[in-house]
């Protein structure tokens, strides 16, 4: 194993809901880095996990009638299933409820307390007793109301432990300035320096007593450790920091890159390094704050019903389609927007047209014009050399871009080679060369160069799209030839051995009909039932067709409508039913004026037992669709059907 190590981490996810493509984004990026570094010879450690303590998790579990641990076990299983389904190559998965983490966090807390970096004091804030939550003055609504429940909060004091964050302000600024890539990209660094590090950096409250779902402060067990202090430490506790065996910590720490979304950069580039400084532990080389994936222009959120989950996309289009889109569409570091149309557009143009077509055309031509064997190249110079130059350019650009985490540009460098290779086919026209006398050498050269370019593409994309890359190698017949699949093997053009047998496999990415796919995705992602904020339907007892047959439903025409003399809600309707006439009293006066009803055709329940409603006879009932709070009522349309006709 290599002695060059590389440690990459994702944030640990809250297992309080299903993960969506925003979460998937961080993990896909970390996976791409991990795979690329392994591929280029590093001994890689890739860590991910779940952040399982805190009041929110406790409350969510309670709301489902479960013990927190039982609730979490189920949720974490789902998260692991997703990562396995996506073939995420993590080396370790840490849960903050594991002993290895809890014990180490307690030791860290004790150490910081012993050093004087954690001290006991009082926390003062606005306390909402029913919610058991402290709020700051600015969080309160209308002066003193709890933002969660709207009840009055009281000014209260509570004993708490504090971390001396203020002591580290100067060292942090110094670190930011002398390590310009520590907090990255530039915009995030500037935001931290100007919004947080130029102000009074206050000490941080790092314990709570208002709930108990957390790691207990070992020497004062009515306190639990603040969830962010607990969570941030995962990056070193997972490596065995302060345990009997800290060899992995010695080997991999400090992390080379810690990926986080932009909203948690502050925790990772200010609080986390200050804790590490207090522990005398080196800081990670880089905290990279990526942007958000928005849905259209909006933040994805359950209440807006605009969440895109990865599973349906993977099932329908494959793992690589989603990974390619996430890495290619957005500039890593900036916000971007997901729409079904831009997702599908990428699939068609880049994957089906550019890459899929190139592979399928090339393999087909080798089968047809060279008996399925890669021929040997005979001609040098001109357009043939241009292709090899382009392949080397792609390789060297890609390496630099991956090192800078510029996945989108990296993929674009490979796609330039793909597009150039497609153009090479159009320029050299192998189908014409095959027909012309004396062009065999030229044809062989073109076919060889195409196969070799595809091999290089397959190798280059392998850290980002390993499923597709394997399929390409299978079609080229080089799966077993390890020396042709390595990173070193693409530093030179011409390594593919003539005589290799190709065989056409399934189409890599079928062309999609965008409009019908959009319709299918809208159907899949449309919020349903409770997710859309609707209450579950309450159904009545089942009936048989014989029960239904007892009803006599007919179309009736309203010929007269008057207000009920004694009840505002009611109208007195005269209804023509074929040759008969009926009087029906109906509660629709809030929704229809009497004159609007004249001439309307409605459905009448004819055999309902007659009753008197506020003194007036009613012989039946008319059907109406009404929503739950009865603020909207509509008479079903049966216009054009003659009165008296049966409805069944
Ligand atoms: N538990 C904390 C992290 C603790 S790390 C010591 C947390 N969890 S989270 O589940 O809410 O978010 C995890 C990551 O997913 C964050 O980096 C966050 O930015 C990312 N994303 C969540 N929604 C996102 C998008 N819509 N777009 C891109 N990433 C976003 O924060």
């Amino acid at each position: 194993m290599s002695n060059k190590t590389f440690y990459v981490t994702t944030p640990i996810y809250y297992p309080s809901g299903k993960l969506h493509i925003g979460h998937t984004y961080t993990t896909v990026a970390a996976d791409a880095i991990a795979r690329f570094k392994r591929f280029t010879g590093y001994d890689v450690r890739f860590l991910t996990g779940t952040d399982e303590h805190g009041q929110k998790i406790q409350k969510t579990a309670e709301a489902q009638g479960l013990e927190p641990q039982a609730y979490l076990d189920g949720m974490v299983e789902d998260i692991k299933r997703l990562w396995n389904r996506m073939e995420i190559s993590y080396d370790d998965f840490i849960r903050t409820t594991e002993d290895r983490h809890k014990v180490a966090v307690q030791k860290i807390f004790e150490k910081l307390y012993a050093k004087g970096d954690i001290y006991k004091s009082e926390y003062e804030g606005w306390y909402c007793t029913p919610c058991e939550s402290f709020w700051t003055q600015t969080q309160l609504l209308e002066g003193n109301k709890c933002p969660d429940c709207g009840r009055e909060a009281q000014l209260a004091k509570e004993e708490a432990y504090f971390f001396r964050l203020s002591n580290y302000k100067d060292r942090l600024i110094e670190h930011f300035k002398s390590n310009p890539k520590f907090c990255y990209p530039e915009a995030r660094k500037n935001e931290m320096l100007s919004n947080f590090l130029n102000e009074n950096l206050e000490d941080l409250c790092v314990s709570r007593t208002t709930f108990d779902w957390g790691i207990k402060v070992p020497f004062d067990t009515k306190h639990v450790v603040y969830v962010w202090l607990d969570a941030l430490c995962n990056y070193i506790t997972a490596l065995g920091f302060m345990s009997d065996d800290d060899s992995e910590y010695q080997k991999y720490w400090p992390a080379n890159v810690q990926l986080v979304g932009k909203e948690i950069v502050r925790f990772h580039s200010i609080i986390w390094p200050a804790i590490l400084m207090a522990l005398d532990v080196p800081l990670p080389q880089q905290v990279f704050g990526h942007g958000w994936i928005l849905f259209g222009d909006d933040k994805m959120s359950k209440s807006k019903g605009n969440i895109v989950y990865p599973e349906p996309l993977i099932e329908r289009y494959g793992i690589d389609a989603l990974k390619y889109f996430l890495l290619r569409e957005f500039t890593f570091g900036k916000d971007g927007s997901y729409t079904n149309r831009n997702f599908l557009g990428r699939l068609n143009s880049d994957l089906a047209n550019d890459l899929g077509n190139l592979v399928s055309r090339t393999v087909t031509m080798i089968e047809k014009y060279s008996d399925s064997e890669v021929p040997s190249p005979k001609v040098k110079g001109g357009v043939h050399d241009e292709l090899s130059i382009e392949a080397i350019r792609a390789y060297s650009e890609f390496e630099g871009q991956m090192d800078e985490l510029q996945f989108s540009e990296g993929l674009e460098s490979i796609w330039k080679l793909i597009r150039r290779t497609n153009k090479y086919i159009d320029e050299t026209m192998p189908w014409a060369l095959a027909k012309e006398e004396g062009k065999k050498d030229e044809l062989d050269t073109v076919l060889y160069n195409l196969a070799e370019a595809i091999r290089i593409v397959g190798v280059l994309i392998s850290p980002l799209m390993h499923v597709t890359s394997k399929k390409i190698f299978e079609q080229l017949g080089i799966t077993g030839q390890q020396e042709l699949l390595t990173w070193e093997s693409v530093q030179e053009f011409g390594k593919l051995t003539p005589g290799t047998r190709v065989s056409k496999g399934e189409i890599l990415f079928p062309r999609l009909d965008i409009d019908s796919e959009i319709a299918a995705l809208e159907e899949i992602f449309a919020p349903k039932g409770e997710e859309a904020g609707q209450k579950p339907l309450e159904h009545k007892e089942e009936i048989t067709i014989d029960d239904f047959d007892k009803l006599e439903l007919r179309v009736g025409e309203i010929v007269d409508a008057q207000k009920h003399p004694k009840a505002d809600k009611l109208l007195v309707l005269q209804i023509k039913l074929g040759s008969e006439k009926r009087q029906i009293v109906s509660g629709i006066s809030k929704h229809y004026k009497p004159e609007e009803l004249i001439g309307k055709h409605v459905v009448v329940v004819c055999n309902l037992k007659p009753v008197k409603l506020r003194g007036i006879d009613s012989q039946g009932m008319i059907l109406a669709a009404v929503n739950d709070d009865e603020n909207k009522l509509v008479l079903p349309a049966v216009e054009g059907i003659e009165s008296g006709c049966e409805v069944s």
Side-chain angles (χ1 to χ4, degrees):
M1 179 120 350
S2 164
N3 55 11
K4 294 189 292 182
T5 62
F6 194 92
Y7 184 31
V8 54
T9 65
T10 71
I12 47 174
Y13 299 95
Y14 291 128
S16 50
K18 227 166 113 58
L19 301 190
H20 56 62
I21 59 162
H23 305 108
T24 312
Y25 183 48
T26 322
T27 297
V28 164
D31 187 56
I33 301 168
R35 285 177 183 271
F36 177 71
K37 287 292 172 185
R38 280 188 207 110
F39 198 45
T40 53
Y42 287 78
D43 172 355
V44 170
R45 188 77 171 179
F46 169 14
L47 175 72
T48 189
T50 40
D51 184 357
E52 305 188 13
H53 289 129
Q55 195 173 25
K56 194 173 160 213
I57 300 269
Q58 189 171 18
K59 284 194 166 168
T60 314
E62 268 167 20
Q64 300 200 7
L66 291 170
E67 286 297 320
Q69 195 63 55
Y71 163 76
L72 288 164
D73 290 349
M75 297 299 285
V76 172
E77 213 172 281
D78 287 349
I79 294 178
K80 285 189 171 171
R81 196 174 306 123
L82 172 65
W83 297 152
N84 291 341
R85 174 71 187 84
M86 292 188 70
E87 300 184 23
I88 299 297
S89 66
Y90 61 82
D91 298 294
D92 192 5
F93 188 106
I94 183 139
R95 300 182 56 179
T96 55
T97 48
E98 285 175 72
D99 280 345
R100 61 170 172 158
H101 176 74
K102 292 197 286 191
V103 171
V105 168
Q106 288 184 322
K107 287 187 184 161
I108 289 170
F109 202 94
E110 271 175 328
K111 181 170 174 179
L112 296 178
Y113 184 67
K115 275 188 70 192
D117 272 303
I118 285 182
Y119 60 93
K120 197 171 189 174
S121 177
E122 268 180 344
Y123 181 82
E124 197 175 317
W126 291 86
Y127 190 67
C128 172
T129 315
C131 295
E132 297 178 42
S133 298
F134 268 104
W135 303 103
T136 60
Q137 178 80 59
T138 48
Q139 287 171 318
L140 295 177
L141 304 176
E142 300 166 28
N144 65 349
K145 303 253 167 64
C146 166
D148 260 5
C149 71
R151 280 179 270 214
E152 281 186 10
Q154 276 82 35
L155 201 56
K157 276 187 189 168
E158 157 184 295
E159 208 182 52
Y161 289 89
F162 283 80
F163 172 63
R164 285 192 202 283
L165 187 58
S166 56
N167 272 6
Y168 292 93
K169 182 174 157 184
D170 294 343
R171 272 180 73 185
L172 285 168
I173 295 175
E174 172 51 32
H175 191 80
F176 267 65
K177 298 216 159 135
S178 49
N179 297 277
K181 290 203 160 177
F182 168 66
C183 179
Y184 211 68
E186 198 75 10
R188 309 265 176 250
K189 175 180 84 178
N190 295 338
E191 191 190 333
M192 292 302 121
L193 281 170
S194 60
N195 292 0
F196 300 106
L197 287 171
N198 78 344
E199 290 178 5
N200 229 353
L201 198 58
E202 283 178 17
D203 287 352
L204 180 73
C205 180
V206 289
S207 76
R208 298 287 188 268
T209 52
T210 49
F211 60 91
D212 62 359
W213 185 245
I215 301 176
K216 291 205 174 348
V217 171
F219 47 85
D220 195 352
T221 52
K222 70 174 192 296
H223 293 259
V224 293
V225 177
Y226 171 46
V227 68
W228 269 101
L229 174 61
D230 162 353
L232 286 163
C233 290
N234 90 86
Y235 303 125
I236 50 178
T237 61
L239 296 176
F241 180 70
M242 290 188 100
S243 75
D244 294 343
D245 177 5
D246 71 352
S247 52
E248 285 178 344
Y249 166 75
Q250 298 297 347
K251 185 170 176 189
Y252 293 108
W253 190 260
N256 297 73
V257 62
Q258 302 209 259
L259 297 187
V260 298
K262 64 179 184 180
E263 83 286 12
I264 55 173
V265 169
R266 182 173 72 89
F267 292 98
H268 284 82
S269 68
I270 296 179
I271 298 173
W272 175 227
I275 295 167
L276 293 171
M277 284 172 180
L279 289 169
D280 284 323
V281 162
L283 306 195
Q285 283 173 19
Q286 184 169 76
V287 171
F288 193 105
H290 65 72
W292 276 346
I293 300 184
L294 307 171
F295 184 87
D297 296 327
D298 254 352
K299 208 173 164 197
M300 280 189 230
S301 86
K302 227 178 174 176
S303 57
K304 286 191 187 129
N306 62 2
I307 302 194
V308 178
Y309 294 108
E311 292 88 344
L313 299 180
I314 299 167
E315 291 314 323
R316 228 177 150 82
Y317 311 107
I319 305 174
D320 281 359
L322 178 61
K323 292 205 310 186
Y324 175 79
F325 175 77
L326 291 175
L327 296 170
R328 175 68 183 92
E329 181 76 4
F330 311 113
T331 302
F332 202 58
K334 299 210 171 120
D335 286 355
S337 141
Y338 172 93
T339 64
N340 290 329
R341 191 170 287 281
N342 59 18
F343 172 68
L344 295 163
R346 280 273 174 210
L347 263 52
N348 259 5
S349 68
D350 301 7
L351 298 182
N353 282 2
D354 294 345
L355 176 60
N357 240 348
L358 173 63
V359 173
S360 126
R361 285 163 96 189
T362 301
V363 174
T364 307
M365 288 191 293
I366 295 176
E367 282 182 345
K368 197 163 162 194
Y369 305 131
S370 186
D371 262 346
S372 297
E373 277 188 9
V374 175
S376 81
K378 316 257 173 27
V379 188
K380 288 239 161 287
V383 70
H384 310 302
D385 282 356
E386 275 174 37
L387 195 61
S388 63
I389 292 166
E390 185 65 14
I392 301 303
R393 178 210 51 78
Y395 143 76
S396 62
E397 276 182 18
F398 178 67
E399 183 174 33
Q401 285 148 341
M402 286 300 288
D403 281 336
E404 290 291 314
L405 312 188
Q406 289 310 308
F407 309 110
S408 180
E409 289 177 14
L411 283 166
E412 174 56 19
S413 291
I414 303 175
W415 254 253
K416 272 194 213 147
L417 169 62
I418 294 173
R419 290 193 293 264
R420 180 67 191 88
T421 312
N422 269 324
K423 192 166 154 230
Y424 177 68
I425 300 181
D426 300 340
E427 285 167 349
T428 55
M429 297 193 288
W431 52 90
L433 295 176
K435 281 192 203 138
E436 255 181 83
E437 283 282 310
K439 292 287 182 182
K440 174 94 174 70
D441 285 357
E442 184 100 22
L443 175 65
D444 284 355
T445 305
V446 171
L447 295 181
Y448 179 88
N449 286 345
L450 288 175
E452 175 64 345
I454 288 173
R455 178 188 74 84
I456 290 177
V457 166
V459 174
L460 290 177
I461 63 170
S462 65
L464 311 179
M465 302 171 71
H466 66 280
V467 178
T468 308
S469 158
K470 271 192 208 132
K471 288 184 186 163
I472 294 176
F473 298 151
E474 270 160 28
Q475 297 205 19
L476 279 182
I478 56 171
T479 305
Q481 297 184 53
Q482 196 43 46
E483 70 287 359
L484 295 181
L485 315 180
T486 62
W487 181 241
E488 290 70 32
S489 78
V490 292
Q491 301 169 16
E492 205 181 301
F493 191 90
K495 283 198 164 285
L496 185 62
T497 334
T500 306
R501 287 197 71 78
V502 304
S503 67
K504 206 158 183 213
E506 56 171 310
I507 288 181
L508 294 182
F509 295 97
R511 245 194 99 70
L512 304 164
D513 177 68
I514 299 226
D515 287 330
S516 69
E517 289 303 314
I518 287 181
L521 289 179
E522 280 173 357
E523 176 67 18
I524 291 170
F525 290 125
K528 295 176 191 85
E530 271 183 279
E531 257 183 62
Q534 289 170 358
K535 280 194 245 135
L537 300 179
E538 281 174 32
H539 296 288
K540 294 190 177 160
E541 198 188 322
E542 252 176 26
I543 59 165
T544 63
I545 188 75
D546 294 338
D547 295 329
F548 181 77
D549 257 356
K550 290 184 189 158
L551 282 176
E552 186 190 335
L553 303 175
R554 289 186 186 277
V555 174
E557 183 187 343
I558 303 178
V559 290
D560 189 36
Q562 303 289 334
K563 288 192 169 162
H564 190 296
K566 292 191 197 143
D568 288 349
K569 276 189 169 176
L570 303 177
L571 293 182
V572 182
L573 310 174
Q574 304 303 325
I575 295 185
K576 178 172 174 278
L577 279 173
S579 55
E580 292 178 23
K581 214 157 152 209
R582 295 265 179 126
Q583 172 169 286
I584 292 179
V585 179
S586 174
I588 57 174
S589 78
K590 229 170 80 188
H591 309 277
Y592 290 94
K593 294 197 183 98
E595 59 273 20
E596 285 172 354
L597 290 168
I598 314 283
K600 258 195 182 310
H601 286 216
V602 291
V603 179
V604 179
V605 186
C606 299
N607 57 340
L608 195 67
K609 204 169 166 198
V611 286
K612 266 195 193 320
L613 289 172
R614 307 288 297 270
I616 296 194
D617 283 335
S618 180
Q619 304 155 310
M621 179 177 107
I622 62 170
L623 297 189
V626 59
N627 66 0
D628 269 356
D629 46 12
E630 290 189 10
N631 61 15
K632 190 154 188 220
L633 180 149
V634 178
L635 299 173
V638 279
E639 300 311 327
I641 313 270
E642 269 177 49
S643 83
C645 288
E646 206 168 338
V647 179
S648 57

